[in-house]
Amino acid sequence: MRMKRIVFLDYVRVFACFLVMLVHACECYYGGPGSTMDNPLSMVETEADRFWVSLYDGFSRMAVPLFMIVSAFLLVPMKEGQGAGKFYKKRALRILPPFFIFMILYCTVPFFTNEIDGETSAHFLSRLFLNFPDTAGHLWFIYPLIGLYLFIPIISPWLAKVSAKEERFFIILFAVSTCIPYLNRFSGDVWGQCFWNQFHTLWYFSGYLGYLVVAHYIRVHLDWSREKRLVVGSIMTVVGAVWTILSFYLQAEPGLVISTPVLEIGWSFCTVNVLILTAGAFLLFTCIKKEQTPRLILQLSELSYGMYLMHIFWLGLWAGLFKGEMELPTGLAIPVMAVATFVSCWVSTLLISYLPGGKWVVGTSSMAFSKFLPQVRGGVQRGS
């Protein structure tokens, strides 16, 4: 029997996918002169760039944690009787073939478009099993996602029997750990940190694992009414968004070159303000009460992984048009670039999904959802 899908998670996936593209559209407006992966530098040129980048990008920083929460909401704890081997195999077949295909594309396509030389392309290919190429910085996300998948069989037995009180204790420690980037900025090393030890006291409660536990707690233990979720979620979203936006705006003086990690301190995904923003937004999405996911949203949700993988290719094209040739005002150019990229990725991923073996490129096939769409009564399924 097909399990009922969780409708609101389809909306979360589509929303988060678009926000990722909005984030990267914003990055076209604050790259600093001479910036490299080893020495990232940022600079906004005008007051308009400062305002709109802060607004759009700051609000969109919930995108990655939302993706993490969706995965955790669906997959933890593992279904009873499902072994780690079966779980790993299913996850690997879903994400790794498209991931490596696009890794190769990002190593080679820029060579044929004269963006990198042959030596650089060969260097990127030689490191294929070590890290993502400089031309595909967005693929960093896959590595912590794989790490979460590897850990799910280990943490699932605890989550299956943990009490709400014990889980809240973990979440509190996770929340405190998200304050450490600010403590490091203003107080230096804390709680055992030093140049030979990065593992502070709360290290084992930190990182994206915290979002996994937050997702499980919301699904299993949070019994708030829809009205309370709306109120609390709205407050948290506003507070988290304002904090995240201001963290960039107050530092980004036009014409000032600043280290990107310094400028983006409040934009790190495991900071307390992004945690508040993400949790608030997710609570708002849980208020969606529909029996069935609209056909378009469901299709976009199914295609979101492939859209994410390819979007940098399309973004460069649209940035050259709307920021370069047409010189649209920043406040208009950023969302237009993001929307154009989103639509282009949707159409491209859909077309690829119809090709033989298309699922190995974009993570799903037309067969998978063309048969599925007419009969679905719900949204994203548990365990999918």
Side-chain angles (χ1 to χ4, degrees), residues 7-28:
V7 173
F8 78 87
L9 292 182
D10 286 313
Y11 286 91
V12 177
R13 273 184 177 166
V14 176
F15 181 64
C17 185
F18 175 74
L19 291 187
V20 167
M21 299 178 192
L22 191 62
V23 164
H24 292 145
C26 289
E27 290 180 356
C28 298

Side-chain angles (χ1 to χ4, degrees), residues 79-350:
K79 292 182 290 187
E80 188 174 351
Q82 182 182 29
K86 184 178 179 181
F87 176 83
Y88 290 150
K89 180 180 179 181
K90 186 175 182 179
R91 293 299 101 201
L93 290 175
R94 161 72 170 161
I95 68 170
L96 291 184
F99 174 53
F100 280 109
I101 287 173
F102 274 93
M103 286 266 279
I104 294 171
L105 290 174
Y106 281 110
C107 291
T108 55
V109 171
F111 166 71
F112 293 107
T113 56
N114 297 316
E115 296 174 67
I116 60 175
D117 57 30
E119 183 179 354
T120 302
S121 177
H123 172 69
F124 289 162
L125 286 169
S126 71
R127 290 177 50 82
L128 201 63
F129 292 100
L130 296 176
N131 211 347
F132 57 86
D134 293 359
T135 48
H138 67 298
L139 296 183
W140 72 269
F141 165 75
I142 304 300
Y143 297 89
L145 182 65
I146 291 171
L148 275 186
Y149 287 163
L150 290 173
F151 202 72
I152 283 175
I154 298 169
I155 199 173
S156 283
W158 177 71
L159 289 172
K161 63 181 182 181
V162 67
S163 69
K165 183 178 180 180
E166 291 171 324
E167 199 163 351
R168 282 196 299 271
F169 177 69
F170 185 104
I171 292 171
I172 289 170
L173 294 181
F174 165 59
V176 174
S177 79
T178 62
C179 299
I180 289 180
Y182 292 107
L183 291 174
N184 290 155
R185 168 71 70 86
F186 300 110
S187 301
D189 292 337
V190 297
W191 303 336
Q193 290 175 318
C194 50
F195 78 85
W196 65 86
N197 176 52
Q198 59 183 311
F199 304 106
H200 54 76
T201 301
L202 296 182
W203 179 272
Y204 305 105
F205 296 88
S206 63
Y208 297 106
L209 178 63
Y211 284 110
L212 183 150
V213 178
V214 168
H216 179 267
Y217 183 85
I218 291 174
R219 184 174 68 84
V220 175
H221 298 299
L222 197 69
D223 58 356
W224 291 352
S225 66
R226 184 171 183 270
E227 289 71 24
K228 186 173 182 179
R229 291 180 185 228
L230 279 171
V231 172
V232 176
S234 297
I235 293 172
M236 292 178 68
T237 301
V238 171
V239 170
V242 170
W243 184 343
T244 308
I245 290 165
L246 288 178
S247 71
F248 185 96
Y249 182 82
L250 294 177
Q251 298 182 90
E253 298 180 23
L256 176 65
V257 177
I258 185 171
S259 170
T260 302
V262 171
L263 182 61
E264 292 187 348
I265 182 175
W267 285 4
S268 297
F269 302 113
C270 293
T271 50
V272 62
N273 48 289
V274 174
L275 170 60
I276 294 170
L277 172 62
T278 303
F282 191 75
L283 283 175
L284 291 179
F285 275 105
T286 66
C287 297
I288 295 175
K289 302 297 181 184
K290 287 180 175 289
E291 290 296 319
Q292 184 173 343
T293 305
R295 198 179 187 109
L296 176 60
I297 297 297
L298 184 58
Q299 185 183 87
L300 289 168
S301 174
E302 292 288 315
L303 295 171
S304 60
Y305 182 50
M307 293 169 65
Y308 157 78
L309 289 172
M310 74 167 58
H311 80 273
I312 293 298
F313 285 131
W314 282 108
L315 181 62
L317 172 68
W318 296 120
L321 176 62
F322 297 121
K323 181 177 183 287
E325 294 180 22
M326 297 181 65
E327 296 184 352
L328 295 181
T330 306
L332 177 62
I334 290 174
V336 168
M337 286 160 55
V339 170
T341 300
F342 187 85
V343 173
S344 301
C345 291
W346 167 36
V347 174
S348 301
T349 308
L350 182 62

Side-chain angles (χ1 to χ4, degrees), residues 14-89:
V14 176
F15 181 64
C17 185
F18 175 74
L19 291 187
V20 167
M21 299 178 192
L22 191 62
V23 164
H24 292 145
C26 289
E27 290 180 356
C28 298
Y29 287 88
Y30 69 96
S35 178
T36 64
M37 289 289 284
D38 295 328
N39 183 33
L41 301 172
S42 295
M43 183 189 74
V44 294
E45 295 183 357
T46 67
E47 186 60 41
D49 291 354
R50 177 191 190 187
F51 175 80
W52 290 111
V53 168
S54 300
L55 182 65
Y56 289 137
D57 206 335
F59 176 78
S60 301
R61 287 289 156 164
M62 69 178 92
V64 165
L66 282 176
F67 273 128
M68 297 293 190
I69 285 181
V70 167
S71 292
F73 201 95
L74 292 169
L75 299 175
V76 295
M78 293 194 321
K79 292 182 290 187
E80 188 174 351
Q82 182 182 29
K86 184 178 179 181
F87 176 83
Y88 290 150
K89 180 180 179 181

